[in-house]
Amino acid sequence: MTDALIPVFDGHNDTLLRLALGRAGRDARSFFDEGKTGHIDLPRARRGGFCGGLFAMFTPSRMSEGEELELSPRDPANFAPVSRHVAEPFTQRMIEMARSVEVLSGGDVVIARSVAEARLAMSDGKLAILLHVEGVECLKTDLSNLHGLYQAGLRSLGPVWSRKNEFGDGVPMSFPSSPDTGSGLTEAGRDLIRACNTMGIMVDLSHITEKGFWDVARLSTKPLVASHSNVHAICPSPRNLTDRQLEAIRASGGLVGVNFHVGFLRPDGQQNSATDLDQVVAHTDYLLEKLGEDGVALGSDFDGCTVPDAIGDVAGLPHLIDRYRLAGYGEELIRKIAAENWLSLLERTGI
């Protein structure tokens, strides 16, 4: 491993959910102590070069504080609908968790409301958080509470998680499967895409059905983005993207963040953490071929998935960077994938 750390701006993690649920005794103060569970805290982030990212706010179908969630694809209870009356206050709870982390950090963590703020924080050695909602069950269908979330710092959202809501339909976690598994956007979903385009909120297509993907592609005037998805031709999970979807993302000037979840990396779809980093490189190579050097980034899914043992947690990011070097990636390309492509994409989205 080289001594110089490559700065990483990552497209997706579930750390706020982990903190909000108090899993394994975690809370806002624990974010500043190096832990042995989970994937992200500030000491490990600094050791790994992680200097910013999109921090997701997700409301599970079922949750119990202090316990790990088991999102087995075989248990339909994990994918049951969630009401706004549950999701709205829980989303506010995660926003308050992010604010608590920011305040307790003494300036070392910043909730950025623009790319310019994120770049400044990162250049000053701070951790930049951009807030993202994963599955918009917290929104009213008339979008009357969207502005309040924007004022709180929301700059990115995924209309659906892997379940149906009032805005659209998400793909299941089955394997193998096509992403063409359900319906697309509802009228409220179409209104949401238009509002996001106007306000400068990024729309994330990870988790959406193929019909929903094409609905967004027809409506959106902004680059198409899948923050944490991989290649369906390599791993036939419905969470991954077909060649036709990748073509549309490239044509829009969009981006895909490589997901570290082993079940979305491996051709056999197995949840085996003893997965070689060659699998990450294989997906990255394929995405580079289809999207070009400006269309590929990282979307780890830290704190929400099973990552390869060779990465382990956020402190292990340099292992992946060195594996990219071994694969022949130049330093300029690595820096694009690690951070710059995300920041440039968010700028093009108007953030």
Side-chain angles (χ1 to χ4, degrees), residues 43-81:
R44 284 184 287 177
R46 285 174 166 160
R47 287 202 288 119
F50 180 95
C51 55
L54 290 158
F55 280 60
M57 297 180 291
F58 165 66
T59 303
S61 293
R62 64 180 187 184
M63 50 189 165
S64 55
E65 298 191 19
E67 297 179 5
E68 294 291 338
L69 287 177
E70 176 55 51
L71 292 180
S72 168
R74 293 179 294 276
D75 187 347
N78 290 321
F79 304 90

Side-chain angles (χ1 to χ4, degrees), residues 312-335:
D313 58 27
V314 69
L317 284 169
H319 295 292
L320 176 59
I321 298 300
D322 277 353
R323 185 61 187 80
Y324 281 150
R325 290 188 177 108
L326 186 63
Y329 293 17
E331 293 301 301
E332 181 180 357
L333 175 58
I334 289 173
R335 288 180 179 276

